[in-house]
Structure formats: C-alpha cells, structure tokens
Amino acid sequence: MNKMRPLLIVAIVFSLFSCEKENSLENSQNVGNELIVGVDCRIRKMVYTDTATKAGLGSLDAAINSLDRVTKITRFDSLSNTIEFITAPIYSNDTVFINPDEYFVVDVNKRISKLHGLIDPTDPFSLQFDVLYAYSVSGYLGSKTYALTTDPLNPYKRVDYVYTGNNLTHMTATDLTNGDLNVDADIDYYNQIIPRRFLYIFPDEKEYPYFSQFYNYGLKNYNAIKKMTVRYYDPGNVLRDSTVSNFSNYIMSRDTYVLSVQMEGADQQSIPALAGKLSFSYHCR
C-alpha cells in the first residue's frame, strides 16, 4: 500500500493537470478558430504585423469600461517604441469630448450624430467645423455634411455612401463650393464570410480614423471586406492617385468574430493600421 501511494498521487496530479490543460486550451485566445469570443462583443484592439518578417508594426487600443464607454484610445508605433496618439474621452450627457476643443454628439440611439472639430487640431484658435451624420431608415450611415461652425447653412463638403444590400459598396466625397469630386471609392466583399461586428469601412475618413472603430456609426457591413479601391482627384475631377487594398486569409472564431485578416497592398487612411496581418481583440459586455 505504501509503495502504491506515490504512484497514485502521480496519477491524480497527472489527471488534474490534463483536465486543467484541456479546459485552458478550450478557452485560450491562442487556439485560433476554436475560440469562443462572446455573445455581445466589439473590437477593442487592433494589432498589425509585417507578414514577411512577423515583426510588430503597431497597435490601436481602446480601454472600455463596464458601462461600455471608451475611456482611452492609444496608438502605439512598435518600430520606434513610441505612442503616436493618445486621448482620454470625457462624457457629459450626450457629448463625448475627445479633447478640450473637439467633441462628438450622440443621438437617442447612441449613434454619432455630430462632430465638432478644428481645421487644424494643433491650433486651438483654428477655424471650427461641424459634421452632421445622417442615417437611413434601416440604420446605416448614409451621408456626412461638413460646414464651418460660423456658417452652418452653407456646407462645404458632403460624403455620400451607397449600399448594395447590407454592404457599403460605393462612396463619394464632393466639394460643394465647386461641385468637384474629392474622393470616391468602391468596396467588394466575400459573399460567404459573414463576420460579427467587424470593421466600419468609411473610405473618406482621414481626420479622425482612430475613433471610427470604437463608436457607434450605425449598422456595420454584413459581409467581410475583400477589396477597397480609393481614388483621389485634383480640381476638375482629374484623377491624381489611388490606393488599392486586398483582404484575405480570414481567421474566424467559432462564433464568427474575425481574429485576424491579411491586408495587402496600400495602407488606407481610413483604417488606422499599416498593411500586413491585422489581429483583433474584443471587449464583451
């Protein structure tokens, strides 16, 4: 009996270790498509790495509290080991101050309905502007209208979004002072990939892209993005440049959240990440 006791103890320990290992693997965030993310979750962090060298390029991270409010947004440059951008939003009723001079306003549906900003965010005495967000009856962002705060009845820019089914497929940004096209874009999707609460795709967004993934801009696209082509124009609708990005190798959780995707080709100003492998972490309520 005494000789058997050490063996029995070893067997019990091994059994417990095996069970613990099995359970930890089932819930590990490194298991790839075996992961269960959760029922009500949204993106809280995006990490981008070089696909060739596997070196980290950077990350965009949001701290989200128990009230589902974003309390901090940080963009980190892994190559230089520096913080590129950081802000701690302050909430007051229906207003979200992203700094002392700029803020978002939310509507009764908790969607962003207005942005108050500065033409030059580095200068507190810069001209101020307002962006009004209009949503379709079905709940998608349909347009954005820009006007100087001092001249709200004469908007100077308008962005229109066109949807095919439940996916944003075309966008135009027009200079209303002369009718010229500033930017337009086309987006393609994978019909067979249906992710839960994935990226917002607003190809015109360049001034405030760090906020677009963490606040509510209406319903998101139904399918996973496959390709985005953005074209930039000089006055007179003369094509100046274009950026094309392709998305592939989607890795999904078992409950269809995107864990990672490969973004190849050009960087996109509206997606706050460099081209490469994009990996996602989620905040769940």
Side-chain angles (χ1 to χ4, degrees):
M1 292 295 293
N2 291 337
K3 292 182 180 180
M4 292 297 293
R5 187 172 297 169
L7 294 177
L8 181 60
I9 293 173
V10 169
I12 293 173
V13 170
F14 179 78
S15 177
L16 290 173
F17 174 77
S18 299
C19 292
E20 182 180 351
K21 181 180 179 182
E22 181 180 353
N23 289 333
S24 64
L25 285 176
E26 285 178 353
N27 295 284
S28 170
Q29 297 202 10
N30 298 317
V31 184
N33 62 5
E34 291 300 311
L35 175 67
I36 298 294
V37 174
V39 176
D40 186 7
C41 307
R42 63 188 181 102
I43 293 172
R44 70 164 184 84
K45 186 174 185 178
M46 181 176 3
V47 177
Y48 32 103
T49 58
D50 185 277
T51 53
T53 65
K54 312 301 182 185
L57 300 175
S59 64
L60 182 72
D61 185 19
I64 304 175
N65 66 18
S66 59
L67 299 176
D68 201 39
R69 285 182 169 180
V70 175
T71 58
K72 184 188 292 186
I73 298 174
T74 307
R75 189 181 189 190
F76 186 77
D77 184 340
S78 299
L79 297 178
S80 62
N81 200 34
T82 57
I83 293 176
E84 290 185 320
F85 173 85
I86 188 168
T87 186
I90 295 175
Y91 295 79
S92 176
N93 297 321
D94 63 351
T95 304
V96 183
F97 288 91
I98 56 179
N99 60 50
D101 303 299
E102 300 179 293
Y103 57 83
F104 292 107
V105 178
V106 299
D107 63 19
V108 294
N109 296 308
K110 298 184 179 179
R111 300 176 304 200
I112 297 297
S113 61
K114 178 182 176 179
L115 163 67
H116 178 80
L118 300 175
I119 296 294
D120 180 0
T122 65
D123 179 7
F125 300 103
S126 170
L127 286 174
Q128 303 174 25
F129 68 93
D130 295 305
V131 183
L132 299 182
Y133 298 75
Y135 295 88
S136 68
V137 174
S138 54
Y140 290 93
L141 180 59
S143 66
K144 296 190 296 191
T145 305
Y146 291 70
L148 293 177
T149 303
T150 55
D151 193 13
L153 298 181
N154 292 293
Y156 62 85
K157 184 170 76 171
R158 179 181 171 93
V159 179
D160 291 289
Y161 301 108
V162 177
Y163 293 81
T164 302
N166 296 316
N167 293 316
L168 173 64
T169 53
H170 186 66
M171 180 233 51
T172 57
T174 305
D175 184 339
L176 296 180
T177 64
N178 55 24
D180 283 348
L181 190 64
N182 287 336
V183 185
D184 71 359
D186 291 294
I187 308 105
D188 299 318
Y189 298 85
Y190 289 99
N191 292 331
Q192 71 276 21
I193 304 178
I194 305 172
R196 297 177 67 177
R197 303 189 72 179
F198 192 40
L199 293 173
Y200 278 118
I201 304 296
F202 300 127
D204 61 291
E205 186 58 69
K206 64 177 181 179
E207 289 91 358
Y208 299 86
Y210 305 138
F211 301 94
S212 58
Q213 303 308 325
F214 305 128
Y215 287 96
N216 185 347
Y217 295 90
L219 296 178
K220 293 187 173 183
N221 296 304
Y222 183 74
N223 295 101
I225 184 172
K226 181 178 183 180
K227 181 180 181 180
M228 178 161 62
T229 303
V230 186
R231 294 170 290 269
Y232 303 90
Y233 297 87
D234 285 330
N237 296 340
V238 177
L239 181 64
R240 179 180 76 251
D241 194 12
S242 64
T243 54
V244 181
S245 301
N246 294 284
F247 298 79
S248 61
N249 297 329
Y250 276 88
I251 303 298
M252 313 286 288
S253 70
R254 290 177 61 185
D255 47 354
T256 68
Y257 290 92
V258 175
L259 302 180
S260 67
V261 64
Q262 190 135 337
M263 176 179 165
E264 298 175 321
D267 299 333
Q268 293 289 349
Q269 61 184 13
S270 60
I271 298 178
L274 301 178
K277 180 182 178 181
L278 311 184
S279 301
F280 300 91
S281 301
Y282 291 83
H283 166 81
C284 301
R285 291 200 286 182

